[in-house]
Amino acid sequence: MKELWKIFSKGLVLENPIFVLALSLCPALAVTTSVINALTMGLSVTFVMSMNNLVVSITRKWVNAKVRVPIYITSIATIVTVVELLLKAFLPLLYKDLGIYLQLIVVFAIILARAEVFASKNSPVPSFVDGFGMGMGFTLSMVIVGTIRELIGNGSILGINVLGQAYQPALIMILPPGAFIFIGYLVASFKILNEHLEKRQKARGETV
């Protein structure tokens, strides 16, 4: 369990897909104008990444290395199609809001990277946990960005006005340039945090 927790938790901070690895920045800029859109995209990516890692791990011994990438992409596309159909059937408004970005999940670098780097070399359970952890790290990042952008850009959270009618929204936060600047600050903050955590780990190692 300790090893599985280590695999899961690395995606939250140490290898956060957006704030550390700087992968899949496109949705972080495009669909985080509201918390609900950010959360929906994050959970969709989490499902796709977890299930794809599981499929890749189960089939890893039967897949020819020369055709592994097309097979990985086919697997991702199939799972994304399932997500699209579910959202279209049960959450049509969210499906419409996310638009083409749902389809673009197929080419998200982080999903293919985890399949290649981890799932293709490990057993199903750790691979699923790795995908789930990375997905939750992605979701956490999206929700953080979405919350701040909606709060400052609209004065609301989840569509509920929390700053009052007197608040003058900073519209730049709803636009891509505002998101880009804000994400830049978050990337810098995570870098400082990771350096601090690494120093603590080294200090503990020296003490032991």
Side-chain angles (χ1 to χ4, degrees), residues 20-200:
V20 176
L21 301 181
L23 296 174
S24 302
L25 289 176
C26 179
L29 295 173
V31 302
T32 55
T33 52
S34 69
V35 178
I36 189 64
N37 285 354
L39 180 61
T40 304
M41 176 61 79
L43 293 178
S44 298
V45 171
T46 299
F47 177 79
V48 173
M49 199 179 315
S50 302
M51 297 309 298
N52 184 65
N53 266 20
L54 183 62
V55 171
V56 170
S57 178
I58 291 173
T59 61
R60 69 188 188 282
K61 295 181 180 179
W62 303 314
V63 173
N64 190 308
K66 295 180 180 179
V67 296
R68 68 188 188 284
V69 173
I71 290 176
Y72 295 165
I73 294 176
T74 301
S75 171
I76 296 169
T78 301
I79 300 169
V80 169
T81 300
V82 171
V83 172
E84 280 193 273
L85 292 174
L86 289 173
L87 286 176
K88 190 174 183 179
F90 297 104
L91 298 169
L93 293 179
L94 284 176
Y95 172 79
K96 184 177 180 180
D97 286 342
L98 294 178
I100 193 173
Y101 293 101
L102 274 175
Q103 299 170 17
L104 289 177
I105 293 176
V106 176
V107 294
F108 281 4
I110 185 61
I111 300 177
L112 186 59
R114 297 322 297 176
E116 175 72 13
V117 172
F118 195 95
S120 63
K121 300 177 178 64
N122 291 275
S123 58
V125 173
S127 297
F128 178 85
V129 172
D130 175 79
F132 185 67
M134 285 291 174
M136 292 308 296
F138 178 87
T139 302
L140 175 64
S141 303
M142 294 286 286
V143 170
I144 290 174
V145 176
T147 300
I148 301 301
R149 289 186 71 190
E150 183 179 352
L151 181 64
I152 298 177
N154 285 327
S156 63
I157 294 180
L158 293 173
I160 302 172
N161 192 317
V162 295
L163 296 182
Q165 297 298 324
Y167 176 72
Q168 296 296 322
L171 295 181
I172 190 172
M173 288 300 291
I174 299 299
L175 301 175
F180 195 78
I181 293 170
F182 179 58
I183 290 173
Y185 280 112
L186 288 175
V187 169
S189 300
F190 266 69
K191 182 174 178 60
I192 294 172
L193 175 60
N194 280 338
E195 288 178 351
H196 176 68
L197 292 175
E198 288 176 2
K199 288 179 180 178
R200 286 185 60 184

